[in-house]
Amino acid sequence: MNNTATDTPPEALRASMVEHIKHAGHARRGAVEQVLLEVPRHRFVPAATVEDAYANIAVITKRAGDGSALSCASVPTVVAMQLDQLDVQPGNRVLEIGAGTGYNAALLARLTGPTGQVTTVDIDAEVTAGAREALDENGFPQVQVITRDGSLGAAEHAPFDRIILTVGAFDLPPAWWNQLAPGGRLVVPLRWRGQTRSVAFVREGDRLRSDSVQLCGFVPMIGQDSELSGHLDADALVTLYWDGDQDLTLDALTGVLTRPKTSVWSGVAVGSTEPFDGVWLRMTGAEPGTCRIAADRAAVDSGLVTPAIPSRSPALVEGDSLAYFTFRRLEDGGERRSELGAIGHGPAGAELAERLSGQIRAWGAARTTDPVITAYPASTPDEQLGAAHVIDKRHSRLVVSFPAV
């Protein structure tokens, strides 16, 4: 272990980490809180300082040539959130996809107890070798570590009562469906329409139905991404990202940002610390043209675009027109508040901005309402899905639905 020495004992830092997780509301299950207190996270990230090991940050353990993260120990609050979603019981058989440092597998092994079984899979042999070494050194030799494409699962140890992904996934391959026991739980950071949510699915016959959906961000799974991208301006300052199943032609949007714009304000306001990511999630279930827009600082400073969050904001595209999510500051008795709205460009820009604002209003009327995400095999015919808007992927079909207010 090479952690830099500190005046604060690791046990005290670990207790402080768990207190922070509890305060954030991400350790609702007593068993999760207990294993977070028991397993020494710093021993799984020896290159990090002890303080960083227990800080609420991701500890990157491997990077690609361009500097992007290939493997890491996830942010502790996210680790706790996913374990809460997974609801591991003693004796469960658990599959983890994304071995990372081995820390998460150690937590899972404590949760399953001596009668359970944990298998962790990763495509990177260097990662699995490191996880194997850390697990052995810290008293978890019973965890099975396999070097393999995670989309294949681990049929030799199936069926699993629980499957968890600690890498971002764009789709739900057949192996995960086939290896999950009836009534079993699958927790996956699933990406669609430019955003990622940790979705806790329960297997109900031939479908998966969510009972928890949480905002998150993860290192993407290698070889699975089907997101496309292209620039909306000649200077390559504004980028649009969309999914492979969407009917979108970038050529049709050439010069769209130079066309007259229309601003539509929703009448929905938020405080300075109030999250509004639920607007994006709601859009994915109702608008087929939902995608993501990202703008460099120069594009924002020049007024070319003013998305709510320049690096990633939802947008709506249809043919040769576009609208994107924005906000404006309000003066409200000294309290810092913002009104949410949309800016549209192109022939149908005003209509798209109004539709996007309509989704903001729907969210504003039920801000804490969670959707139900139902996943079906790709072979499921339309008639079995009803009139819902369907998000099609290679191996699965998703329906995002909200209860009527």
Side-chain angles (χ1 to χ4, degrees), residues 172 174 177 206 375-385 390 392-398:
L172 304 172
W177 300 72
D206 61 354
Y376 301 85
S379 59
T380 305
D382 290 345
E383 53 267 26
Q384 291 187 22
L385 305 180
V390 179
D392 280 310
K393 297 177 177 286
R394 179 183 177 188
H395 300 298
S396 59
R397 312 190 76 189
L398 302 181

Side-chain angles (χ1 to χ4, degrees), residues 15 33 40 53 75 88 92 101 113 121 170 197 255 280 290 315 323 364 381:
E33 178 185 338
V75 178
V88 176
N92 278 170
T101 64
V121 174
F170 191 81
R197 306 281 166 158
W280 199 339
T290 301

Side-chain angles (χ1 to χ4, degrees), residues 232 246 309 333:
L232 291 175
Q246 291 180 290
I309 300 175

Side-chain angles (χ1 to χ4, degrees), residues 62 70-71 99 121-129 146-148 222:
K62 185 173 183 180
L70 288 176
S71 187
V121 174
D122 202 287
I123 197 170
D124 190 323
E126 184 179 354
V127 170
T128 54
I146 300 173
T147 304
R148 179 181 298 161
I222 294 174

Side-chain angles (χ1 to χ4, degrees), residues 6-361:
T6 175
D7 292 336
T8 307
E11 295 78 13
L13 292 171
R14 190 154 61 247
S16 178
M17 177 190 77
V18 174
E19 281 301 313
H20 175 79
I21 290 170
K22 289 169 59 180
H23 182 74
H26 292 311
R28 296 183 300 273
R29 302 181 190 278
V32 171
E33 178 185 338
Q34 187 60 36
V35 297
L36 288 168
L37 284 169
E38 293 174 350
V39 178
R41 178 176 163 97
H42 67 287
R43 293 184 178 273
F44 289 86
V45 287
T49 66
V50 179
E51 288 88 350
D52 281 353
Y54 292 108
N56 198 45
I57 59 173
V59 178
I60 308 302
T61 55
K62 185 173 183 180
R63 293 185 183 274
D66 62 1
S68 60
L70 288 176
S71 187
C72 71
S74 297
V75 178
T77 49
V78 175
V79 171
M81 176 192 75
Q82 282 203 304
L83 292 178
D84 267 354
Q85 288 182 305
L86 195 62
D87 190 22
V88 176
Q89 299 298 313
N92 278 170
R93 299 168 68 91
V94 182
L95 171 64
E96 178 191 41
I97 297 170
T101 64
Y103 173 65
N104 209 63
L107 296 170
L108 292 168
R110 282 292 177 92
L111 288 168
T112 62
T115 61
Q117 177 180 293
V118 176
T119 302
T120 186
V121 174
D122 202 287
I123 197 170
D124 190 323
E126 184 179 354
V127 170
T128 54
R132 176 75 277 163
E133 181 179 0
L135 287 162
D136 288 343
E137 288 181 350
N138 290 285
F140 298 94
Q142 75 274 28
V143 175
Q144 303 288 326
V145 181
I146 300 173
T147 304
R148 179 181 298 161
D149 183 344
S151 66
L152 302 175
E156 63 269 41
H157 298 296
F160 296 102
D161 304 294
R162 303 287 189 268
I163 299 177
I164 182 171
L165 274 80
T166 56
V167 290
F170 191 81
D171 202 354
L172 304 172
W176 303 350
W177 300 72
N178 297 337
Q179 294 172 26
L180 185 63
R185 297 180 70 82
L186 165 66
V187 173
V188 51
L190 189 61
R191 187 173 185 82
W192 72 98
R193 303 303 187 246
Q195 45 95 67
T196 305
R197 306 281 166 158
S198 182
V199 183
F201 287 110
V202 178
R203 182 174 175 182
E204 299 178 350
D206 61 354
R207 69 178 185 177
L208 301 170
R209 184 177 174 86
S210 75
D211 65 6
S212 174
V213 181
Q214 301 286 341
L215 182 67
C216 68
F218 276 84
V219 174
M221 193 171 179
I222 294 174
Q224 214 195 45
D225 198 359
S226 293
E227 189 176 62
L228 306 174
S229 65
H231 299 301
L232 291 175
D233 65 311
D235 295 322
L237 297 176
V238 184
T239 307
L240 189 72
Y241 298 84
W242 68 97
D243 294 345
D245 68 297
Q246 291 180 290
D247 183 18
L248 190 157
T249 303
L250 192 64
D251 288 346
L253 294 168
T254 300
V256 67
L257 297 176
T258 64
R259 297 171 188 169
K261 68 179 182 181
T262 302
S263 300
V264 176
W265 299 104
S266 67
V268 175
V270 294
S272 59
T273 62
E274 186 176 359
F276 47 74
D277 57 276
V279 174
W280 199 339
L281 182 56
R282 186 173 284 274
M283 287 172 62
T284 70
E287 289 287 356
T290 301
C291 47
R292 174 165 70 98
I293 192 171
D296 287 358
R297 174 51 58 186
V300 176
D301 290 344
S302 68
L304 180 63
V305 288
T306 53
I309 300 175
S311 63
R312 51 189 315 106
S313 286
L316 193 55
V317 171
E318 197 168 272
D320 57 359
S321 301
L322 170 146
Y324 60 86
F325 182 68
T326 190
F327 67 84
R328 62 181 176 183
R329 300 294 186 193
L330 299 175
E331 292 297 330
D332 191 2
E335 182 184 359
R336 189 176 180 182
R337 295 181 64 78
S338 300
E339 183 180 7
L340 307 180
I343 293 176
H345 292 268
E351 178 196 347
L352 292 179
E354 180 55 51
R355 280 161 49 185
L356 201 162
S357 287
Q359 293 301 313
I360 295 172
R361 295 184 191 104

